[in-house]
């Protein structure tokens, strides 16, 4: 039986191989495993996440999990890579402030206790009301593979979100040459600060307030 000690001797293993096998039974297995990882991470936290536990929850043989993902780091990385491989785009509302508010609303719903998961498009990860987004962020401090995958996820999201500033330029709301990344970070940072770092009580007005402040700064040329 395959074990962590000899899994490295098997060909075509790890999350990269898992992503290449996309059809039929392989796709079903990946879906089951990715779902199991997320559920276990939220329910019990990183320390309780093991290959055997994932295999049991997913209803697949532990050898399959060892062969395709190798270890917990590979599993976490594939959850994030699967989340990044979607068709998400920022909403086009017709104005910069509303676009940033819509973006912030998604972040807010992902980070607030019991909220939706940003790692799906989207907590402490301790089984006490957390969610997958915050659990994955916490896990990234424990796993280099998860950290790398999380960086890829955010880079992809920021790249797609750059069209928010592009549209604002096209509408004449901003002059050309705006630093889209700086604008987006300024708009979203208060949500991470309040909900993830300070663990402040959820404030439904926060997404709009942070978006309005970033928009005001952009209009006076702060991000040029």
């Amino acid at each position: 039986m395959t074990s962590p000690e000899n899994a490295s001797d098997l060909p075509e293993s790890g999350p990269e191989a898992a992503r290449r096998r996309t059809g039929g039974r392989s796709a079903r297995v990946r879906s089951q495993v990715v779902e199991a990882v997320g559920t276990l991470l939220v329910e019990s936290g990183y320390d309780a996440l093991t290959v055997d536990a994932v295999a049991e929850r997913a209803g697949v043989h532990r050898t399959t999990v060892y062969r395709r993902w190798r270890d917990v780091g590979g599993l976490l990385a594939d959850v994030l890579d699967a989340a990044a491989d979607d068709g998400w785009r920022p909403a086009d509302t017709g104005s910069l402030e509303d676009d940033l508010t819509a973006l912030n609303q998604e972040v807010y719903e992902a980070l607030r206790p019991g909220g939706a998961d940003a790692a799906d498009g989207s907590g402490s990860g301790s089984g006490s009301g957390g969610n997958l987004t915050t659990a994955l962020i916490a896990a990234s401090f424990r796993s280099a593979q998860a950290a790398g995958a999380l960086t890829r996820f955010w880079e992809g999201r920021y790249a797609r979100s750059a069209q928010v500033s592009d549209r604002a330029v096209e509408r004449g709301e901003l002059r050309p040459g705006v630093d889209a990344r700086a604008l987006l970070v300024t708009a979203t940072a208060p949500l991470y600060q309040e909900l993830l770092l300070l663990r402040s009580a959820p404030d439904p007005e926060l997404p709009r307030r942070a978006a309005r402040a970033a928009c005001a700064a952009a209009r006076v040329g702060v991000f040029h």
Side-chain angles (χ1 to χ4, degrees):
M1 178 175 292
T2 306
S3 68
E5 288 74 18
N6 60 24
S8 61
D9 296 330
L10 295 168
E12 290 293 302
S13 58
E16 289 296 333
R19 289 192 292 275
R20 284 196 293 272
R21 303 185 185 105
T22 57
R25 179 179 178 278
S26 179
R28 290 193 299 273
V29 168
R30 186 191 186 201
S31 178
Q32 290 168 227
V33 169
V34 164
E35 182 178 356
V37 172
T39 300
L40 288 169
L41 188 62
V42 172
E43 287 180 353
S44 305
Y46 179 87
D47 288 329
L49 190 66
T50 66
V51 170
D52 286 358
V54 169
E56 182 178 358
R57 177 62 67 97
V60 302
H61 200 283
R62 64 195 295 268
T63 302
T64 299
V65 181
Y66 279 126
R67 181 182 183 91
R68 292 179 59 174
W69 287 273
R70 296 179 182 268
D71 53 24
V72 168
L75 288 164
L76 289 168
D78 201 35
V79 169
L80 286 158
D81 287 331
D85 187 20
D86 62 6
W88 180 87
R89 290 292 184 275
D92 184 356
T93 66
S95 76
L96 176 60
E97 182 177 322
D98 287 345
D99 280 1
L100 291 174
T101 298
L103 185 63
N104 277 356
Q105 191 63 44
E106 292 188 41
V107 175
Y108 177 82
E109 292 299 328
L111 295 180
R112 69 179 178 85
D117 290 319
D120 288 338
S122 12
S124 60
S126 60
S128 57
N131 58 43
L132 182 56
T133 300
T134 51
L136 285 167
I137 292 172
S140 72
F141 289 94
R142 307 282 300 277
S143 164
Q145 286 176 276
L150 186 61
T151 296
R152 292 193 297 273
F153 178 86
W154 293 131
E155 290 290 350
R157 285 300 192 254
Y158 277 116
R160 297 186 205 182
S161 297
Q163 61 187 276
V164 168
S165 64
D166 293 341
R167 292 193 299 245
V169 171
E170 292 171 0
R171 289 190 294 258
E173 293 182 90
L174 300 177
R175 58 187 174 86
V178 64
D179 184 336
R181 176 71 167 262
L183 170 60
L184 293 164
V185 169
T186 299
T188 59
L191 284 83
Y192 292 95
Q193 179 75 23
E194 294 289 344
L195 297 174
L196 191 61
L197 300 180
L198 297 178
R199 298 178 183 268
S200 301
D203 176 4
E205 297 303 315
L206 179 59
R208 171 70 67 179
R209 190 166 60 249
R212 183 176 295 125
C215 187
R219 284 172 176 157
V220 296
V222 170
F223 305 116
H224 284 82

